[in-house]
Amino acid sequence: MATDGPLPDSVDILVVGGGNAAFCAALSARESGASVLMLERSCEDESGGNSRFTAGAIRCVYDGVDDLKRLMPDLTNLEIEQTDFGTYTQEQFFDDMGKVTEYRCDPDLVELLVTRSRETMLWMQKKKVRFQPIWGRQAFKVDGRFKFWGGLTVEAWGGGPGLVDALTNAAQKAGIDICYQARALSLIGDELGVRGVNVKHKGQIHEVQAKAVVLASGGFEANHEWRARYLGPGWDLAKVRGSRFNTGDGIRMALDIGAAPYGHWSGCHAVGWDRNAPEFGDLDVGDGFQKHSYPFAIMLNANGERFVDEGADFRNYTYAKYGGVILSQPGQFAWQIFDTKTKHLQRDEYRIRQVTKVSAETLEELVQKLDGVNAARALETIKVFNAAVQQDIPFNPNIKDGRGTEGLTIPKSNWANIIDEGPFEAFAVTCGITFTFGGLRIDVTGKVLSSDLEPIPGLFAAGELVGGIFYSNYPGGTGLMSGSVFGRLSGASAARHVGAEISMNEHQ
Ligand SMILES: Cc1cc2nc3c(=O)[nH]c(=O)nc-3n(C[C@H](O)[C@H](O)[C@H](O)COP(=O)(O)OP(=O)(O)OC[C@H]3O[C@@H](n4cnc5c(N)ncnc54)[C@H](O)[C@@H]3O)c2cc1C
């Protein structure tokens, strides 16, 4: 239940954070009967961290429609008949993680992520989190049948807000206390053992003793200074897609007592995001500022030039690194150009009210409207692109169709279409950072390791602040899955630690 009164002096297990990873850790810890308190830095209305901002897309293993039916019992026979769900096997998930991280990801952590994804989803479902297929975003209808692509098939009912609400209900039902506007400041203890947390709550500093602490307070994406320091010059200029509260507190607190940093500290997940979006995420818009239909468009920078292969792969496998590519362009922006033929493939987010968009009947008129762009060069680039499209290869958005370009320095490898039929549309994007990849080092039980690579007794971690899972890139839907798998794992390990501590005290 939400704790409005004073913070308790002590609790068995203290979970820092209020997003998906924190809830999964708290729910799992609570199964042992231990008392659990969650500290959420934000007020209740803004709670849920980045998890609330998501569409709720969650990547998990399934060997066929029977697995999906178990997870989503509401699936009707008609829906099943009309859909080719394919499979997403463990091997496919492993391959995707290896491929997108250039085989840098920690094999032990990824093994847990992949092999526990299905059972963790079923565990969440038992806690009354509901799921549904992502009809709208991950499947195109071909010959009257939906076909899913890219390994991402399931989303939480009601998206991120639905997920956080369901988890909050589950936590309340389980008797977990949640304290809002409670910012963890530092850990009590050292690398030989953690005994609680110093907390700022309603303008006062409190000490809360705990037998175990699970850190699940997100990455450092909302910290301008750390972004410039670790991600590099220019990253302080990125917009933050989600929560303003993920400023790296949990990481800092653990490093302060000797925890090991791990993973890709100069790497992050960042996407093309509306150029005029606010500094931090806006819960009313959610992920609507993203502009993810670029595989069916071309992108031009301020010089009027293309700068990336928009069709290198399915959106799921490129979107998380293209934000950084946009950030490195002059002025940190780009325009996505569509003609009428591909307009129907634009995702919902292209139709939100708060969109930076221009339209024109002719290309000559359109390039004049592209704010900040060399118009003459832009027109030339489009003409050269059009001449290079391999028109003899049929266009098919469901597969990597190989309909690319010939002879361009920067090719477009799939889904290339001549941009020649008005009205034309262009959307201005900049870089929106989602979350950072570097963080703490955990072992396969979720224990935080010291820089001597020894577990710090009583300290566990899950979610965005765990390093070693993502490097350079990321397969869509894996952030939530990682938070769920490692949250559940670290919560259970924290409970075992508490159990062991209690029985040790009883025998003394
Ligand atoms: C716009 C957007 C869309 C996304 N879409 C998807 C998607 O569809 N699928 C997917 O898998 N991933 C998606 N992601 C990524 C996903 O949100 C994250 O990977 C995941 O939610 C991280 O979960 P978490 O619990 O680790 O962190 P969060 O959900 O961010 O939770 C961290 C929590 O810690 C709290 N906190 C921070 N500091 C403190 C402190 N000092 N004391 C107490 N509390 C603190 C914060 O307030 C927050 O509640 C998206 C992200 C964004 C921003």
Side-chain angles (χ1 to χ4, degrees):
M1 67 194 95
T3 305
D4 223 14
L7 280 170
D9 292 335
S10 70
V11 65
D12 288 334
I13 298 171
L14 208 152
V15 178
V16 180
N20 176 53
F23 274 113
C24 289
L27 286 163
S28 159
R30 182 71 186 132
E31 285 175 350
S32 68
S35 60
V36 180
L37 171 67
M38 293 174 68
L39 301 177
E40 163 62 291
R41 180 175 167 185
S42 79
C43 63
E44 193 166 354
D45 286 350
E46 287 184 89
S47 68
N50 276 348
S51 304
R52 191 184 283 284
F53 281 90
T54 70
I58 185 157
R59 182 175 291 261
C60 62
V61 164
Y62 63 93
D63 285 324
V65 76
D66 289 345
D67 277 348
L68 294 175
K69 181 93 186 154
R70 211 168 310 135
L71 187 62
M72 302 176 286
D74 295 340
L75 262 184
T76 65
N77 289 339
L78 186 65
E79 284 169 334
I80 290 171
E81 263 166 42
Q82 288 179 345
T83 311
D84 176 2
F85 287 106
T87 59
Y88 193 59
T89 61
Q90 291 195 5
E91 290 71 26
Q92 286 169 291
F93 201 168
F94 272 119
D95 281 354
D96 282 344
M97 284 300 297
K99 199 173 65 177
V100 302
T101 64
E102 293 157 15
Y103 298 92
R104 287 194 165 96
C105 52
D106 181 310
D108 296 333
L109 297 183
V110 169
E111 172 147 8
L112 284 168
L113 171 69
V114 170
T115 58
R116 303 228 175 148
S117 63
R118 179 170 32 198
E119 63 176 61
T120 302
M121 293 289 279
L122 291 169
W123 173 80
M124 290 172 80
Q125 187 216 32
K126 285 213 182 77
K127 308 273 179 209
K128 303 270 186 289
V129 177
R130 288 174 68 196
F131 299 102
Q132 63 184 355
I134 316 179
W135 305 107
R137 292 180 164 189
Q138 289 295 135
F140 292 114
K141 204 165 188 180
V142 175
D143 300 331
R145 233 177 149 221
F146 282 100
K147 180 169 168 51
F148 276 83
W149 50 272
L152 186 52
T153 304
V154 182
E155 68 185 352
W157 194 273
L163 173 68
V164 172
D165 290 349
L167 289 167
T168 308
N169 287 338
Q172 286 173 342
K173 234 169 118 192
I176 294 166
D177 287 328
I178 309 171
C179 190
Y180 296 100
Q181 293 176 279
R183 180 179 186 180
L185 298 176
S186 57
L187 293 166
I188 302 169
D190 51 35
E191 65 179 276
L192 299 181
V194 165
R195 298 183 307 280
V197 169
N198 290 308
V199 188
K200 184 172 149 211
H201 179 48
K202 297 191 175 164
Q204 299 215 337
I205 311 288
H206 303 260
E207 260 189 32
V208 182
Q209 303 287 332
K211 298 186 181 79
V213 173
V214 182
L215 297 173
S217 48
F220 59 86
E221 56 275 3
N223 183 331
H224 289 73
E225 197 256 332
W226 275 34
R227 286 207 307 269
R229 195 194 307 187
Y230 295 114
L231 303 181
W235 279 97
D236 38 350
L237 303 176
K239 305 211 183 229
V240 177
R241 295 179 68 203
S243 168
R244 66 191 167 95
F245 298 103
N246 291 2
T247 52
D249 284 5
I251 300 175
R252 177 190 46 74
M253 285 161 47
L255 295 183
D256 282 350
I257 64 154
Y262 193 44
H264 192 185
W265 272 71
S266 58
C268 68
H269 180 304
V271 308
W273 191 247
D274 193 284
R275 192 178 174 187
N276 291 307
E279 180 185 3
F280 299 109
D282 174 344
L283 277 169
D284 289 336
V285 180
D287 63 3
F289 290 121
Q290 67 199 10
K291 294 290 168 276
H292 283 350
S293 298
Y294 59 84
F296 310 119
I298 62 167
M299 288 197 274
L300 300 181
N301 64 14
N303 300 332
E305 286 163 355
R306 288 180 57 248
F307 53 91
V308 76
D309 181 348
E310 302 89 346
D313 205 332
F314 286 121
R315 189 275 314 175
N316 289 343
Y317 303 116
T318 59
Y319 78 116
K321 60 180 178 179
Y322 281 2
V325 180
I326 293 167
L327 187 87
S328 66
Q329 301 309 304
Q332 297 82 43
F333 71 89
W335 284 89
Q336 299 178 355
I337 316 283
F338 293 84
D339 84 351
T340 262
K341 292 191 290 297
T342 47
K343 227 178 106 176
H344 69 285
L345 293 169
Q346 286 170 358
R347 295 156 54 106
D348 294 348
E349 69 239 19
Y350 284 76
R351 289 177 285 282
I352 66 168
R353 203 166 41 83
Q354 307 85 333
V355 69
T356 308
K357 167 184 171 182
V358 294
S359 320
E361 290 301 323
T362 66
L363 281 173
E364 287 71 13
E365 204 190 322
L366 185 84
V367 292
Q368 294 299 333
K369 291 185 174 178
L370 304 180
D371 186 29
V373 172
N374 178 331
R377 185 80 190 105
L379 193 59
E380 181 59 21
T381 301
I382 296 171
K383 285 185 179 158
V384 170
F385 173 83
N386 283 349
V389 173
Q390 293 171 306
Q391 293 184 64
D392 49 326
I393 301 173
F395 173 77
N396 183 345
N398 279 315
I399 54 166
K400 287 209 265 179
D401 63 4
R403 183 180 157 107
T405 55
E406 258 176 340
L408 297 183
T409 320
I410 299 174
K412 182 167 182 190
S413 302
N414 295 286
W415 311 298
N417 273 310
I418 294 183
I419 301 167
D420 64 347
E421 265 181 50
F424 301 93
E425 288 182 349
F427 298 83
V429 288
T430 183
C431 170
I433 183 168
T434 319
F435 67 94
T436 43
F437 290 160
L440 302 175
R441 186 161 195 157
I442 58 167
D443 69 7
V444 292
T445 65
K447 290 181 186 131
V448 175
L449 300 180
S450 72
S451 45
D452 291 325
L453 300 190
E454 284 164 2
I456 299 178
L459 189 61
F460 304 82
E464 274 180 11
L465 52 58
V466 171
I469 300 172
F470 305 116
Y471 289 79
S472 304
N473 195 7
Y474 157 102
T478 321
L480 288 174
M481 197 69 258
S482 164
S484 299
V485 167
F486 291 103
R488 183 181 176 215
L489 179 81
S490 61
S493 296
R496 268 197 305 280
H497 175 82
V498 169
E501 203 166 90
I502 290 171
S503 75
M504 206 171 73
N505 290 340
E506 281 170 357
H507 287 94
Q508 273 171 0

